[in-house]
Amino acid sequence: MSRRWSRDPGTLSAAFASRPVRTTMDVQAQRPPLLELNTTLIKSSSRLPLSGSRLKRGPDQMEDALEPAKKRTRGVGAVAKVDTFRPRGPLSTVSQTQGHTAAPKGPKKTGPRGCSAVGTVLRNQKPAPTAPAQKPGTSAAPVVVGKKPGKRPAWDLKGQLCDLNEELKRYREKTQTLDRENQGLREQLRELEECLGTKERRLQELQEEQLQLQEERSTLSTQLEERERKLQASEAALSSSQAEVLCLQEKAAAQATLLAEQGDRLYGLQMERRRLHNQLQELKGNIRVFCRVRPVLAGESTPSPGFLVFPPGPAGPSDPPTRLSVSRSDDRRSTLTGAPAPTTRHDFCFDRVFPPGSKQEEVFEEISMLVQSALDGYPVCIFAYGQTGSGKTFTMEGGPRGNPQLEGLIPRAMRHLFSVAQEMGGQGWTYSFVASYVEIYNETVRDLLATGTRKGQGGECEIRRAGPGSEELTVTNARYVPVSCEKEVEALLHLAHQNRAVARTAQNERSSRSHSVFQLQISGEHAARGLHCGAPLNLVDLAGSERLDPGLALGPGERDRLRETQAINSSLSTLGLVIMALSNKESHVPYRNSKLTYLLQNSLGGSAKMLMFVNISPLEENVSESLNSLRFASKVNQCVIGTAQANKK
Ligand code: ADP
Ligand code: MG
């Protein structure tokens, strides 16, 4: 049977519902009439020789009665549909069965109409040709002409019965086949119903899903609308912001133009400031001398009143003093005459005089202008000159550590320098600083910043030109340390102090007989205007200026001391001679006569600014050395070195 089913389960069900499915029970229900016929025939065959009223109906009648059986035999294998059964006695039952099996495929005819159609077919059927006679009593099959089975003679009731039994058997088999088919179809129906159920559930799920999706879609569309509204608002805000930005950009451009103009103006003003500043420095003199008298220390004898006098400045007591008078009593004359010792007054005038009570801060204020000059590109040299114990180191480096008020010129100058450099950074200047610190003792140079194995000893150093044709001088074997803050400088000063202390134990009071030179190489750059400037700032703590008392007898150990002193005096006098040669504009300046002047030659020329502190002891017993120092300083003070020029490129 074809298993091609419609995909529509509903149609399938309907087809099955309309299809006449006959069960064994149904067939059984039809069976009794057939059996009844069988029985009747058997009964009749027992009376075969007798001609009964039924048999008298003639062979044609019998054939008619048996015709459906023959048709049934021919139609085996075809399934006929009969919707209703209407038994009308044994024979009509047969013809119905015949109709049931051999009904042609075609439009379904239901009810009595279908039956009558079958009946009509039966009535119209012509009788088959009569088969040859057969021996009575045989049950062999009738002679077959062609494919058709032969027609049994009317008397062969047994044969007919046999045929009928055969036919019955086939019907039973057919019924069984149909039962099986029916069973299979029922299973298929069940499967299809299950499948349908699954599909229905799936459909329901899909419908639910669809509902959910619809809800989601509506939520999303609401959100989308909301977002679109926000986007529109943002776009509006953006366009207004863009307009604002444009406006601000225009303003910024205008401001930038203004700023550039202001910058040019500021630069002009700075240049003017620099020019005026240096003009002022020149008016004050490129060589200036300050005198500083240290206070009487604890345990020292107080000098007699009037020994040192500080007359007020020309503008009155508030005017800073510039003069100093030293009264010296002539002891020899008083001894000879016996009269009170006459005193001789020695007056000195300097750019500034600092009496014993002057603070470190006051002293620095006066020289801070020179630091500005160094940043502007002018070489600067600051010296401390005086006998040992007059306060040179106190002035340059300061008093005991930890007291900021006692800080000397070097730390103060560095702090000022770094802060001014930072301020000038705002005006486009970038500065870098490199520090070195050397000691010149007995015409030998030693690095005070030496570390590690060289610490305290500081290998032999030589002063050399930085390169062939270079004006710049450098000390070989000495450390040149880049510094950018006062703390770094402080560390270097501390290291130098330690190095000096080590040397002091090795050689007696060496520090007082050596020059200490702290050099800071300043380099400035104004990238925007392509300007460069560079100059050294030198802070020099000179060796003690005292001379050996010629009256003293020289022991064996004193000879070295004499040589040292001569070297010191030689270098200090060379310094004086160099200054004077510069002042007198002599063609030959004896820089090379001492290591000190050779090292400082670039800071002592016509373009340099120089400041000399002459440190004086307040004690009467030091009067001779004080007068020597004051005389030396006065000579320097009288010098005027040509117009200073900044080292600008
Ligand atoms: P120098 O370096 O000239 O040999 P110092 O600077 O070592 O002299 O000074 C000698 C002593 O005098 C030190 O104890 C120092 O502290 C002290 N001293 C020098 N100048 C002053 C001053 N202005 N105020 C206070 N003490 C001072
Ligand atoms: Mg000293």
Side-chain angles (χ1 to χ4, degrees):
M1 178 173 269
S2 172
R3 291 180 69 96
R4 232 183 288 148
W5 304 104
S6 162
R7 285 191 181 181
D8 183 0
T11 318
L12 271 172
S13 308
F16 277 97
S18 61
R19 193 183 181 90
V21 180
R22 296 220 171 269
T23 60
T24 315
M25 288 294 284
D26 295 330
V27 176
Q28 292 291 340
Q30 292 171 38
R31 206 172 289 163
L34 284 170
L35 287 173
E36 191 184 327
L37 172 69
N38 215 357
T39 320
T40 315
L41 285 172
I42 292 165
K43 280 177 183 171
S44 305
S45 72
S46 61
R47 287 177 287 167
L48 194 61
L50 303 171
S51 55
S53 60
R54 282 185 209 177
L55 290 174
K56 277 180 186 173
R57 276 190 283 184
D60 287 346
Q61 282 176 315
M62 185 57 81
E63 273 174 31
D64 281 349
L66 288 172
E67 194 62 26
K70 278 191 280 181
K71 283 181 186 174
R72 187 190 59 206
T73 311
R74 283 198 300 272
V76 166
V79 178
K81 281 185 188 175
V82 178
D83 293 328
T84 52
F85 293 92
R86 264 190 213 172
R88 288 176 195 163
L91 284 177
S92 68
T93 304
V94 171
S95 48
Q96 275 175 356
T97 311
Q98 170 78 11
H100 180 64
T101 52
K105 283 180 188 173
K108 255 188 259 177
K109 301 216 173 171
T110 53
R113 212 175 148 192
C115 281
S116 65
V118 173
T120 313
V121 170
L122 288 174
R123 273 193 302 277
N124 295 341
Q125 215 161 11
K126 285 181 180 174
T130 315
Q134 207 174 346
K135 276 185 186 174
T138 59
S139 59
V143 177
V144 175
V145 180
K147 283 188 179 179
K148 277 189 175 179
K151 199 175 177 183
R152 288 188 191 273
W155 51 265
D156 191 5
L157 288 175
K158 196 174 177 183
Q160 283 174 15
L161 181 65
C162 203
D163 286 350
L164 284 170
N165 275 336
E166 278 295 311
E167 201 169 346
L168 182 65
K169 195 176 154 194
R170 278 197 300 277
Y171 268 108
R172 278 181 184 156
E173 281 168 4
K174 183 79 184 165
T175 308
Q176 279 170 2
T177 310
L178 286 173
D179 280 349
R180 279 197 298 278
E181 273 181 22
N182 206 4
Q183 189 67 28
L185 288 170
R186 276 174 192 276
E187 277 171 16
Q188 280 174 12
L189 179 65
R190 193 170 41 77
E191 280 171 17
L192 285 168
E193 275 171 356
E194 276 174 13
C195 180
L196 180 68
T198 312
K199 284 191 178 175
E200 274 173 356
R201 279 196 298 280
R202 179 73 192 130
L203 182 68
Q204 203 174 345
E205 280 170 16
L206 286 171
Q207 279 170 348
E208 283 168 8
E209 217 170 291
Q210 191 191 14
L211 269 175
Q212 270 182 7
L213 287 170
Q214 277 171 351
E215 278 173 21
E216 267 175 41
R217 198 184 72 162
S218 72
T219 316
L220 285 171
S221 62
T222 316
Q223 283 177 0
L224 186 68
E225 278 171 21
E226 182 65 24
R227 298 242 163 110
E228 273 173 356
R229 270 201 300 281
K230 280 185 184 169
L231 184 67
Q232 278 172 357
S234 301
E235 277 172 352
L238 181 69
S239 64
S240 83
S241 298
Q242 278 171 341
E244 220 170 291
V245 166
L246 270 177
C247 183
L248 285 171
Q249 276 173 344
E250 280 169 17
K251 275 188 191 168
Q255 295 275 2
T257 315
L258 194 69
L259 196 67
E261 284 170 15
Q262 297 275 0
D264 287 347
R265 213 169 137 240
L266 183 67
Y267 180 72
L269 287 170
Q270 277 169 12
M271 291 296 112
E272 182 66 4
R273 192 251 338 133
R274 192 179 278 205
R275 196 182 63 75
L276 289 172
H277 173 81
N278 290 293
Q279 208 173 359
L280 180 69
Q281 300 293 311
E282 275 166 37
L283 286 170
K284 285 183 175 180
N286 283 330
I287 299 180
R288 276 183 284 165
V289 179
F290 291 173
C291 175
R292 185 179 192 184
V293 182
R294 76 157 170 84
V296 177
L297 302 174
E300 289 178 340
S301 56
T302 314
S304 52
F307 169 60
L308 290 175
V309 178
F310 303 92
S318 60
D319 203 23
T322 53
R323 288 181 295 157
L324 168 71
S325 296
V326 183
S327 295
R328 185 184 189 180
S329 61
D330 194 341
D331 291 340
R332 259 192 299 179
R333 241 201 281 173
S334 86
T335 317
L336 287 172
T337 58
T343 55
T344 315
R345 213 178 83 179
H346 301 269
D347 294 331
F348 298 94
C349 184
F350 299 105
D351 290 288
R352 178 79 195 262
V353 172
F354 294 98
S358 303
K359 302 257 178 293
Q360 296 279 61
E361 198 182 339
E362 285 174 63
V363 177
F364 177 71
E365 251 176 51
E366 277 294 320
I367 63 141
S368 64
M369 300 295 264
L370 283 180
V371 172
Q372 179 66 62
S373 289
L375 284 168
D376 288 346
Y378 293 88
V380 173
C381 235
I382 299 173
F383 295 100
Y385 181 96
Q387 72 173 114
T388 301
S390 60
K392 298 184 296 295
T393 306
F394 185 89
T395 300
M396 296 308 277
E397 288 186 19
R401 285 171 181 278
N403 188 347
Q405 288 185 343
L406 299 183
E407 272 185 343
L409 291 185
I410 298 177
R412 284 173 196 268
M414 292 303 112
R415 192 181 308 133
H416 185 66
L417 200 77
F418 291 132
S419 92
V420 174
Q422 205 172 356
E423 271 174 37
M424 289 178 80
Q427 297 159 18
W429 285 94
T430 318
Y431 283 97
S432 61
F433 308 94
V434 179
S436 66
Y437 206 176
V438 296
E439 180 189 75
I440 301 171
Y441 169 73
N442 210 3
E443 287 303 278
T444 54
V445 183
R446 193 170 69 103
D447 185 15
L448 286 177
L449 302 181
T451 51
T453 51
R454 288 166 50 213
K455 196 170 179 178
Q457 299 158 24
E460 279 284 304
C461 299
E462 288 299 328
I463 303 161
R464 295 262 184 274
R465 294 212 170 267
S470 170
E471 294 261 313
E472 213 178 306
L473 292 168
T474 183
V475 179
T476 60
N477 285 331
R479 281 176 72 211
Y480 284 82
V481 186
V483 287
S484 55
C485 65
E486 55 182 291
K487 283 223 180 278
E488 289 171 358
V489 175
E490 209 176 287
L492 294 184
L493 292 180
H494 183 62
L495 176 63
H497 189 75
Q498 281 184 328
N499 277 339
R500 251 195 243 120
V502 172
R504 196 177 295 147
T505 49
Q507 295 173 44
N508 182 35
E509 283 302 315
R510 172 180 164 146
S511 69
S512 68
R513 290 190 284 279
S514 64
H515 311 295
S516 299
V517 184
F518 180 86
Q519 272 192 321
L520 189 79
Q521 186 62 44
I522 302 167
S523 307
E525 189 187 4
H526 196 296
R529 297 190 186 270
L531 292 172
H532 295 266
C533 68
L537 169 66
N538 303 280
L539 298 152
V540 188
D541 186 350
L542 292 168
S545 61
E546 63 274 11
R547 292 151 200 247
L548 271 186
D549 191 338
L552 283 175
L554 294 176
E558 299 286 320
R559 285 182 206 284
D560 287 347
R561 190 152 172 233
L562 180 64
R563 208 179 304 123
E564 274 177 24
T565 312
Q566 280 169 346
I568 295 163
N569 289 334
S570 161
S571 69
L572 286 175
S573 58
T574 303
L575 178 65
L577 288 172
V578 164
I579 293 168
M580 267 173 247
L582 287 168
S583 170
N584 297 335
K585 299 196 170 40
E586 288 173 16
S587 57
H588 176 71
V589 181
Y591 290 119
R592 285 180 173 265
N593 284 4
S594 79
K595 291 273 163 73
L596 179 72
T597 50
Y598 183 44
L599 180 63
L600 297 175
Q601 65 173 296
N602 289 332
S603 305
L604 295 172
S607 63
K609 293 178 187 300
M610 200 166 80
L611 176 71
M612 185 172 280
F613 276 93
V614 56
N615 289 91
I616 300 292
S617 160
L619 307 179
E620 272 186 290
E621 62 198 63
N622 293 328
V623 69
S624 181
E625 287 302 331
S626 298
L627 285 171
N628 279 338
S629 298
L630 290 166
R631 283 184 191 124
F632 177 83
S634 290
K635 273 192 198 164
V636 172
N637 200 31
Q638 283 157 16
C639 293
V640 176
I641 297 179
T643 311
Q645 286 176 354
N647 289 340
K648 272 188 275 180
K649 290 165 195 168

